[in-house]
Amino acid sequence: MANLNLTDVGKAYGGTVEVLKNIDLDIETGELIVFVGPSGCGKSTLLRMIAGLEKITAGELLIDGQRMNDVPPAQRGIAMVFQSYALYPHMTVRDNMAFALKLAKKTPAEIDEAVSRAAKVLQLDDYLDRLPKALSGGQRQRVAIGRSIVRDPKVYLFDEPLSNLDASLRVATRIEIAQLKESMPNSTMIYVTHDQVEAMTLASRIVVLANKGIAQVGTPLELYERPENEFVAQFIGSPAMNLLPGEIVEPGTVTQIRLDAGSGTIAANISTQDSDRGMKVNVGIRPEDMIATEADTYAFAGKVEIVEALGEVTQLYFEKAAADAAAVIGKLQGIHAGVRGTHMKMTVDPAKVHLFANGRSLLYR
Ligand SMILES: Nc1ncnc2c1ncn2[C@@H]1O[C@H](COP(=O)(O)OP(=O)(O)OP(=O)(O)O)[C@@H](O)[C@H]1O
Ligand SMILES: [Mg+2]
């Protein structure tokens, strides 16, 4: 049970290599915050600074209002679960989970109680006397989580805890983590992942890190529906949002835009002013919002070069306009046989259009 406040937090390794700066973030008790961002953007660094495993070189970290910058890790009330769950191989599940409590000189009764409670939450009751080598990857990961639960920490930190698991186990363990969080509504969790689905399904809010800072913080659907900038727009959602260059030709409460690769104008339910007429914009259209059309007015037209038929959806990759351009992608519901090599026209619902100028969303001016 804890809230965290990060104010102007920064990190420079060795005093010179700056990897994070100006991080301002308030986390409420009971939240499950997910950090996402490209590899090397500083997610683990930020988590390790909160845990006290890495020095905070600028700014301030408060937990429940108390400054933590110089408090040793063991006294922060934090438990961290890593990607590689280093269980003690010669100890049973029970002893692995009890280890930290023994070190903390808890009584055998207290240890028993804490271990049983954690085992119950994680459905490990039947495995308490086994050695780690006799467990599946998912069960081992649960033991690693169990080791943190027994300590009843104020804050849980997870650094890609599921990335070593195979696809089906990941899904199962993801759902277990969601249930675990539900069973501990007052626990505060911070969770790092590269997995879009984990981020979208687990997070109360997602923090997108990029370029040493926070690109946007919001609920999963806020980031999906109202990304503040092109980076977040393309980072959240898969395949990434298409960005199509165009120009505002008719401002208003509904804005008309002419697209370089389109014909006629398309509408966006985004309000613009007279002074925006002629503005160069990037029109953001998610692949799943692309609609095939036969009309004379369309947002994009091109030759379908690659077709990925996934059954539930069909992903169309259009021929690139230039070698270094990103392929425009459409994601259509259902099966579409025989579209490869054909020329298709695409349009979009005005409510689904995103508009960016100089990388920033026009919704946030
Ligand atoms: N001990 C260190 N000394 C110097 N630079 C470091 C150190 N640890 C990490 N870095 C650098 O800091 C940056 C952020 O690393 P970090 O591990 O936090 O990234 P990440 O977002 O967790 O990446 P990934 O998604 O690949 O795990 C990287 O450029 C990394 O090379
Ligand atoms: Mg990392």
Side-chain angles (χ1 to χ4, degrees):
M1 223 160 87
N3 58 63
L4 290 86
N5 310 96
L6 287 80
T7 310
D8 211 16
V9 164
K11 176 70 182 178
Y13 280 108
T16 49
V17 188
E18 187 177 61
V19 295
L20 290 168
K21 61 176 181 183
N22 310 126
I23 304 287
D24 289 314
L25 180 64
D26 294 320
I27 300 174
E28 299 295 327
T29 297
E31 277 204 278
L32 196 164
I33 294 287
V34 172
F35 290 168
V36 297
S39 188
C41 72
K43 303 179 294 294
S44 297
T45 298
L46 190 53
L47 213 59
R48 293 171 59 82
M49 287 198 291
I50 293 169
L53 303 172
E54 212 45 87
K55 193 171 158 39
I56 297 171
T57 54
E60 195 165 56
L61 165 69
L62 305 184
I63 299 180
D64 281 341
Q66 288 199 319
R67 186 181 152 94
M68 286 289 142
N69 292 47
D70 304 312
V71 175
Q75 287 161 34
R76 293 192 185 189
I78 281 176
M80 187 148 168
V81 179
F82 297 93
Q83 174 180 353
S84 49
Y85 34 85
L87 302 180
Y88 302 109
H90 58 287
M91 288 186 197
T92 62
V93 167
R94 185 192 309 280
D95 291 339
N96 262 286
M97 293 211 280
F99 189 71
L101 300 179
K102 283 183 182 155
L103 280 188
K105 303 263 190 298
K106 299 279 185 197
T107 67
E110 284 172 327
I111 295 177
D112 252 8
E113 213 254 271
V115 170
S116 323
R117 185 171 51 91
K120 196 175 204 134
V121 171
L122 294 165
Q123 296 169 25
L124 286 167
D125 313 59
D126 294 342
Y127 304 97
L128 284 172
D129 296 315
R130 286 204 201 174
L131 290 175
K133 66 176 184 213
L135 299 176
S136 74
Q139 289 161 344
R140 281 181 218 171
Q141 189 55 276
R142 276 188 266 156
V143 177
I145 296 170
R147 285 198 309 196
S148 63
I149 293 180
V150 291
R151 294 170 47 202
D152 198 18
K154 291 200 273 190
V155 183
Y156 291 85
L157 305 179
F158 294 94
D159 197 353
E160 304 197 46
L162 308 186
S163 54
N164 282 342
L165 306 181
D166 71 33
S168 64
L169 208 49
R170 266 189 101 119
V171 174
T173 316
R174 180 182 87 217
I175 291 167
E176 282 173 12
I177 288 181
Q179 287 169 341
L180 175 70
K181 179 70 192 72
E182 217 154 274
S183 70
M184 305 189 299
N186 291 324
S187 63
T188 307
M189 298 186 178
I190 308 178
Y191 190 102
V192 174
T193 182
H194 275 112
D195 186 295
Q196 290 265 340
V197 182
E198 275 172 37
M200 295 300 282
T201 56
L202 292 175
S204 59
R205 287 186 301 154
I206 297 176
V207 176
V208 183
L209 292 169
N211 301 320
K212 303 182 185 178
I214 294 179
Q216 190 173 355
V217 183
T219 66
L221 290 182
E222 271 164 13
L223 298 195
Y224 180 82
E225 290 174 339
R226 298 171 62 88
E228 268 180 47
N229 48 59
E230 288 179 354
F231 181 84
V232 174
Q234 294 205 294
F235 196 80
I236 300 289
S238 176
M241 183 188 284
N242 299 296
L243 292 176
L244 307 171
E247 181 183 326
I248 294 179
V249 290
E250 195 55 58
T253 47
V254 173
T255 300
Q256 298 290 332
I257 304 125
R258 184 164 49 234
L259 282 151
D260 296 3
S263 164
T265 63
I266 64 149
N269 289 358
I270 294 170
S271 171
T272 50
Q273 296 138 25
D274 261 353
S275 55
D276 295 330
R277 193 183 305 276
M279 180 189 273
K280 298 284 181 205
V281 289
N282 271 340
V283 173
I285 307 177
R286 293 199 179 277
E288 55 272 35
D289 294 333
M290 290 278 221
I291 304 165
T293 181
E294 297 293 333
D296 293 335
T297 297
Y298 51 85
F300 174 84
K303 185 176 160 201
V304 179
E305 199 171 49
I306 299 167
V307 175
E308 291 179 337
L310 303 176
E312 176 197 5
V313 295
T314 303
Q315 299 187 157
L316 313 176
Y317 293 72
F318 289 91
E319 198 170 53
K320 294 179 187 178
D324 59 347
V328 171
I329 303 174
K331 190 173 179 179
L332 307 180
Q333 285 299 314
I335 296 164
H336 298 260
V339 291
R340 182 160 173 238
T342 66
H343 194 86
M344 286 181 77
K345 297 186 281 189
M346 301 302 236
T347 188
V348 62
D349 177 343
K352 298 290 174 68
V353 175
H354 303 257
L355 286 183
F356 303 92
N358 300 316
R360 303 271 316 156
S361 167
L362 296 191
L363 289 174
Y364 289 85
R365 287 192 292 176

